[in-house]
Amino acid sequence: MISPSDILGMNARNQLYVARNSKRSKNICHSKYATKILMLNEGIQTAEVFGILATIEDVNEFNWKRLNKDFVLKPTNGHGGKGVVAFKKKLKAKDQWLDIVNGRWSLDDLKLHCYDILEGQYSSHGAAPKIIIEERVVSHSKLLEYSYKGTPDIRVLIFNSIPIMAYMRLPTRESGGRANQNQGALGVGIDIGSGLTTYAAAHKTHLIKHLPDTNKELKNIQIPYWKKTLLTAVEAANTAKLIYSGVDLFIHKNKGPMVVELNYRPGLSIQIANQAGLRKRLQRVEDLNVLNPEHGVRIGQALFAQSYFETPEEKLTIVHPKENVIVYGDDNKSLDTLAFIKTGRYKSAIASNLGKELGLIDIDDFLWFQNEAGEGRVPVVEVELDLGEQRISATMLVSKRLNRTRHDIELGRKDLPGFLIKTEEK
């Protein structure tokens, strides 16, 4: 259940975040063509363009017969999937094309649809509409098994170069194979840390556990190329100089993430699909200094990884309040040291002397700075260690206080899902 105080509403979104985007950035988002050219110029993967049609003459002169399979026809300034038609093959016997829901289109049908686009029937913005004919990206097989005919897409919400929240939109029979929630696609939340799906919502508000009319669970689906997907989303937003945005991507089986479009005013139903509010997440990263896209992804994964996944009790690892752990550093360094399992604290901490010895205390390794009681403003670093038979990747405060204790590490409850702490007998 989402706390009402955590939910970001439309007015707050528009006034506090959308308003930070420049007019130039918004104009890029308005045009799918401008977005595509920008991505291509910056070397960011996107679907191949087969043609841009701006006039009726362009439509009539275009070589339609060379389009044999897997193409999409869409307006450059449409919104909400309006006017977008995806085709999977050309029928050999006739000059007809089969769309993804098996509708048959003649050449005259294609041209008539293009005329409608040029006349502004599907346009959402003031600029003169054009038509993009581009490659239809066939999604990764791991995602297609959950999709009805169309291609599922991933939306990553970016703020201050940091991925804040993400979800997948799954085409359904109701949506006609389109990954659009307004038309009936499902919204499936994704854990930023792991790329595993979390919750799922139909019609934006109704929580469900299984794919409609099947027994397939929508939870714990692993999104392929997850870290690369987050990195591509941040790079795309930064390229358009968007401060706050939603980046939509397809996941190609071989090419990985490919940018579909940019949104400077992304919808808010992503909160329902994740059962988490945006307000606190956005506030948490507002003043952080992000060095580059890789740094932004590291921060997002460190801050917003969810630990809700249930672990059956028989799979829990039993540990004592004090355990020897192996801590890993730069250049394959590793040290055996004592850790105190301190569930009274939330975030873990590492002694600054140990961090220096492992080569972790470097400005390039700092994720952010945070206030620690009794120590003031201290850096936060990413640390890998072995506890029992499990490898943990944890964000830890760098503590000088721990230099004076018998243990070099304090493990907080944020990093202890999957562990059962055994109470020591007196």
Side-chain angles (χ1 to χ4, degrees):
M1 178 70 72
I2 312 174
S3 170
S5 62
D6 288 348
I7 294 176
L8 181 72
M10 188 179 298
N11 289 337
R13 177 200 63 183
N14 294 343
Q15 294 171 16
L16 299 177
Y17 301 105
V18 173
R20 302 185 190 213
N21 293 321
S22 69
K23 183 177 180 180
R24 174 186 176 276
S25 297
K26 291 177 181 178
N27 286 338
I28 291 171
C29 295
H30 282 160
S31 171
K32 293 179 176 63
Y33 175 60
T35 298
K36 189 167 291 293
I37 294 302
L38 182 63
M39 296 300 107
L40 290 171
N41 287 342
E42 293 297 322
I44 297 173
Q45 289 199 113
T46 186
E48 180 184 354
V49 177
F50 299 142
I52 303 291
L53 312 181
T55 65
I56 291 176
E57 289 75 17
D58 290 342
V59 174
N60 292 333
E61 293 173 6
F62 184 75
N63 185 5
W64 292 96
K65 293 184 179 181
R66 73 183 178 92
L67 299 175
N68 294 317
K69 64 175 183 177
D70 291 332
F71 71 95
V72 178
L73 192 157
K74 62 173 72 172
T76 56
N77 58 352
H79 178 71
K82 296 176 182 177
V84 178
V85 186
F87 296 87
K88 58 184 179 181
K89 68 178 180 179
K90 184 175 184 291
L91 299 176
K92 293 181 179 179
K94 301 177 181 179
D95 280 341
Q96 290 186 331
W97 288 261
L98 204 63
D99 65 27
I100 59 172
V101 290
N102 295 322
R104 295 191 176 207
W105 293 61
S106 67
L107 179 56
D108 286 341
D109 292 332
L110 290 178
K111 289 182 177 181
L112 183 59
H113 186 66
C114 289
Y115 299 156
D116 288 340
I117 291 175
L118 292 176
E119 289 175 4
Q121 183 170 328
Y122 306 104
S123 298
S124 300
H125 311 293
K130 297 181 180 68
I131 301 152
I132 291 181
I133 304 171
E134 67 180 22
E135 165 193 13
R136 180 174 79 94
V137 178
V138 179
S139 188
H140 197 286
S141 57
K142 288 186 178 179
L143 303 183
L144 273 182
E145 64 176 293
Y146 296 93
S147 175
Y148 176 79
K149 298 188 181 293
T151 304
D153 72 7
I154 309 294
R155 172 169 289 182
V156 183
L157 198 148
I158 308 292
F159 177 56
N160 187 25
S161 297
I162 298 169
I164 304 297
M165 196 174 283
Y167 75 154
M168 174 169 59
R169 292 175 296 193
L170 286 176
T172 62
R173 185 183 298 276
E174 181 182 348
S175 71
R178 296 181 178 87
N180 188 286
Q181 283 188 288
N182 290 326
Q183 297 175 2
L186 305 180
V188 185
I190 306 172
D191 171 40
I192 287 286
S194 65
L196 289 168
T197 56
T198 56
Y199 304 92
H203 304 110
K204 294 188 176 182
T205 58
H206 178 58
L207 290 179
I208 58 174
K209 293 185 177 181
H210 297 89
L211 195 66
D213 303 320
T214 75
N215 290 321
K216 290 183 178 179
E217 287 195 18
L218 292 169
K219 183 177 179 180
N220 290 344
I221 302 167
Q222 179 65 63
I223 305 299
Y225 299 103
W226 181 239
K227 192 163 186 177
K228 187 177 179 182
T229 298
L230 294 179
L231 184 59
T232 301
V234 174
E235 289 173 341
N238 287 358
T239 295
K241 301 188 184 309
L242 286 158
I243 306 301
Y244 176 82
S245 66
V247 180
D248 296 343
L249 309 101
F250 290 144
I251 310 296
H252 190 280
K253 180 179 180 179
N254 301 316
K255 299 177 184 178
M258 304 176 75
V259 174
V260 181
E261 62 181 78
L262 306 174
N263 305 271
Y264 70 87
R265 189 173 53 201
L268 298 169
S269 62
I270 192 171
Q271 298 174 104
I272 304 299
N274 281 275
Q275 285 296 283
L278 281 168
R279 185 182 293 272
K280 284 188 177 179
R281 292 194 182 193
L282 292 166
Q283 291 171 348
R284 179 68 182 85
V285 305
E286 184 165 9
D287 297 323
L288 296 183
N289 180 32
V290 182
L291 303 177
N292 50 50
E294 291 82 1
H295 188 216
V297 170
R298 288 173 58 204
I299 291 174
Q301 291 195 294
L303 284 177
F304 306 126
Q306 298 179 29
S307 58
Y308 83 100
F309 299 99
E310 297 90 348
T311 304
E313 189 166 336
E314 63 269 18
K315 293 185 179 181
L316 290 172
T317 300
I318 298 175
V319 294
H320 295 81
K322 293 182 180 179
E323 289 277 354
N324 283 323
V325 297
I326 299 174
V327 192
Y328 297 91
D330 289 346
D331 300 324
N332 297 318
K333 289 182 182 177
S334 64
L335 288 172
D336 193 319
T337 190
L338 185 65
F340 178 33
I341 314 298
K342 191 174 181 180
T343 56
R345 71 176 303 146
Y346 178 68
K347 191 180 292 294
S348 300
I350 184 171
S352 61
N353 287 345
L354 176 61
K356 289 176 183 177
E357 191 172 352
L358 290 167
L360 299 174
I361 312 302
D362 187 283
I363 188 65
D364 292 334
D365 294 318
F366 296 166
L367 292 173
W368 62 83
F369 287 82
Q370 187 166 322
N371 289 322
E372 173 76 342
E375 298 194 61
R377 193 169 172 81
V378 300
V380 178
V381 296
E382 197 167 24
V383 181
E384 283 199 353
L385 58 88
D386 290 338
L387 174 60
E389 296 181 356
Q390 292 196 40
R391 178 69 57 90
I392 298 175
S393 181
T395 54
M396 296 191 181
L397 302 165
V398 177
S399 170
K400 292 182 178 179
R401 175 183 61 81
L402 291 184
N403 293 335
R404 304 187 297 272
T405 63
R406 293 183 179 180
H407 54 271
D408 291 315
I409 286 177
E410 289 183 354
L411 286 172
R413 60 185 181 276
K414 178 179 182 293
D415 300 311
L416 294 171
F419 290 94
L420 185 65
I421 294 86
K422 182 178 178 63
T423 303
E424 291 186 329
E425 296 180 2
K426 294 183 178 179

